[in-house]
Amino acid sequence: MSTKTWMMMSLVTVLSGCPQPQSQRCTPQNCASGCCTEGGFCASGDVNSACGISGAACAVCSGATTCQMNECRTVASGGGAASAGGAAGGSASAGGAPSAGGSATAGGSASAGGSAVDAGVSCATVTLDPVLGTFSLRGTTMVASSGALPAGTSSLGLHNGELFTVTTDRQLRRLGTLPTLSLGPAIVDVRAAADRDAGTFLGGTIASNGQQLLTGYTKTGAGFPGVVALVQPEDAGVEYVSAPGNYTLAALSSGAFIINGTGLGSATGNGLFALRPGTPSQTALLTTFPDAFGGSGYTTVTGNGVLVAGNARADFSNVARALAPSSYLGSVASGSSFTYVAADAPIVAEGDEFAALTTMQNDAVVVRGGYDASFTPFTVRVERVTLTLPGSGVQTVAVGAATPLLENGALRCTRVFTAIGAGNELYVGLDDRQGRRLVKLTP
């Protein structure tokens, strides 16, 4: 089975969420707020027959458990709920637990990226590191901190050193800081008023420019309509901007944002769009992609302003190229477009095992992974790719070698479902039978 999934399989797969044609499979990227059925469809993840989150395999809640906040949880005698198997952080949870009926699901099964080996050892029985699961640190990488993620968390982001999440009920909330994470009160509904009675599919990104947060969602329908929500978290001020096909977002030091999608405001195209906050905010098509377009892709910005962005190609593989600051910053400031020339934008990562993208300081971080024959997601490794800006004036980025930060074991029982760069630190969301947790790494 090819590991083409974990990619933007096509525009339909990336943007529409659920339902999907059989040939276009559910992935963690297009089903962040729900779970993937055995048939490869994105389900809401909040019913007993299909319970889960972050694009993990749906679990069936039975016996004394019910699906609560996208986890199979047992109602305790005192009226509270405990996730099936124990307390958060060391328990079975959505996407990483055997269901109450006894069948293991994604992250906790023999099929999670590998098969049983050596006298029946499987993901259900293999010894897991309490923090890293089946991952091992490489080079000088160290664990700085870790903490369990509360039930109901979906997309994650950092804002002035504090973690935020959009929960499965579509509310932006504070999470706090590691190692103790807890859901704060709802700040704002990220859905525009007209969409609150409709099915929405949350994006996997929350971007911060230091003052505002930007996140988005899409819906089914012609042109894959969507919206990005620009939020002032201190006073819950919010501006909703039409953004069909929005997939990933990135913030610039100038305060502007870049959206990877197929439209923003009145601008259209298969590429990158600029959003400059204001009253109202200004929108523009920044550039269209030079590679054959099959769907929206990954976007990130390094500490020294290198824009790494790309798209899913028509053959389902992904590509991300590096653009020097001199090639795009002027267009962002003026609200104009520039030509994205492939020859001037070297490839940082490509292929059908390209699963996520972020940064550490001036380098790119790429998560490599895919799906097994049962369409269970797995991660192979997390690697850091050196990017440099030689010379001065009009520059071209030099792409160096990839260095592993995390390497998964043969069974690949633990997967990365999100990666967030913060200066020289890297937050990775991990999921296995121990539950969903966030781990902060330093080089």
Side-chain angles (χ1 to χ4, degrees):
M1 175 65 195
S2 169
T3 52
K4 288 180 180 176
T5 48
W6 269 66
M7 310 303 132
M8 288 126 300
M9 297 290 289
S10 71
L11 189 58
V12 173
T13 306
V14 172
L15 306 176
S16 66
C18 170
Q20 302 162 14
Q22 179 71 17
S23 62
Q24 297 165 334
R25 290 284 174 174
C26 174
T27 74
Q29 282 70 38
N30 64 39
C31 194
S33 56
C35 62
C36 295
T37 68
E38 289 185 3
F41 293 87
C42 176
S44 62
D46 56 1
V47 296
N48 291 341
S49 59
C51 189
I53 195 171
S54 297
C58 295
V60 177
C61 303
S62 58
T65 67
T66 60
C67 190
Q68 303 172 47
M69 297 293 284
N70 295 75
E71 290 188 6
C72 291
R73 299 168 70 84
T74 304
V75 178
S77 58
S83 56
S91 69
S93 65
S99 67
S103 63
T105 60
S109 70
S111 65
S115 58
V117 294
D118 298 334
V121 175
S122 71
C123 288
T125 59
V126 69
T127 300
L128 299 177
D129 180 89
V131 175
L132 294 176
T134 52
F135 280 104
S136 297
L137 299 171
R138 290 291 180 260
T140 58
T141 308
M142 298 177 62
V143 173
S145 187
S146 66
L149 282 167
T153 55
S154 184
S155 51
L156 301 167
L158 275 166
H159 177 67
N160 298 330
E162 187 177 14
L163 287 159
F164 283 73
T165 184
V166 176
T167 45
T168 53
D169 59 358
R170 280 49 177 170
Q171 304 298 310
L172 178 69
R173 303 173 189 266
R174 284 181 169 84
L175 266 179
T177 57
L178 289 173
T180 304
L181 303 176
S182 60
L183 291 177
I187 297 172
V188 69
D189 194 318
V190 301
R191 299 167 296 182
D195 295 332
R196 292 175 189 174
D197 293 328
T200 55
F201 307 98
L202 297 175
T205 311
I206 302 175
S208 167
N209 64 4
Q211 296 182 334
Q212 296 143 315
L213 294 171
L214 186 70
T215 190
Y217 62 89
T218 55
K219 305 181 294 180
T220 55
F224 308 105
V227 168
V228 290
L230 182 63
V231 182
Q232 182 71 44
E234 284 70 26
D235 62 9
V238 60
E239 179 185 6
Y240 301 102
V241 182
S242 173
N246 75 85
Y247 184 64
T248 54
L249 320 165
L252 303 177
S253 59
S254 65
F257 293 91
I258 293 177
I259 294 94
N260 192 318
T262 60
L264 186 70
S266 60
T268 60
N270 298 326
L272 303 173
F273 297 82
L275 174 66
R276 293 181 295 163
T279 310
S281 295
Q282 302 298 306
T283 62
L285 171 64
L286 192 58
T287 191
T288 54
F289 294 118
D291 296 277
F293 186 80
S296 306
Y298 298 110
T299 315
T300 192
V301 178
T302 68
N304 60 353
V306 173
L307 171 60
V308 185
N311 61 288
R313 293 166 168 154
D315 65 357
F316 305 148
S317 66
N318 274 276
V319 60
R321 298 176 178 273
L323 292 160
S326 59
S327 66
Y328 74 91
L329 285 181
S331 294
V332 172
S334 63
S336 59
S337 298
F338 73 95
T339 301
Y340 190 156
V341 179
D344 296 334
I347 293 174
V348 175
E350 64 179 335
D352 59 5
E353 285 191 346
F354 182 4
L357 178 70
T358 188
T359 61
M360 289 182 74
Q361 289 189 324
N362 297 333
D363 297 336
V365 173
V366 181
V367 179
R368 296 287 188 177
Y371 270 67
D372 67 10
S374 301
F375 297 99
T376 303
F378 66 89
T379 305
V380 177
R381 65 187 177 277
V382 179
E383 58 190 24
R384 185 173 184 170
V385 181
T386 303
L387 305 178
T388 56
L389 276 171
S392 59
V394 178
Q395 299 171 294
T396 299
V397 181
V399 178
T403 303
L405 302 175
L406 287 176
E407 199 86 36
N408 217 342
L411 284 178
R412 299 171 180 169
C413 300
T414 305
R415 71 179 180 104
V416 175
F417 61 86
T418 192
I420 306 166
N424 206 33
E425 298 174 335
L426 176 67
Y427 290 77
V428 291
L430 301 182
D431 186 16
D432 54 27
R433 72 172 192 262
Q434 301 177 122
R436 297 173 74 246
R437 55 202 181 272
L438 198 62
V439 180
K440 181 167 70 172
L441 304 175
T442 57

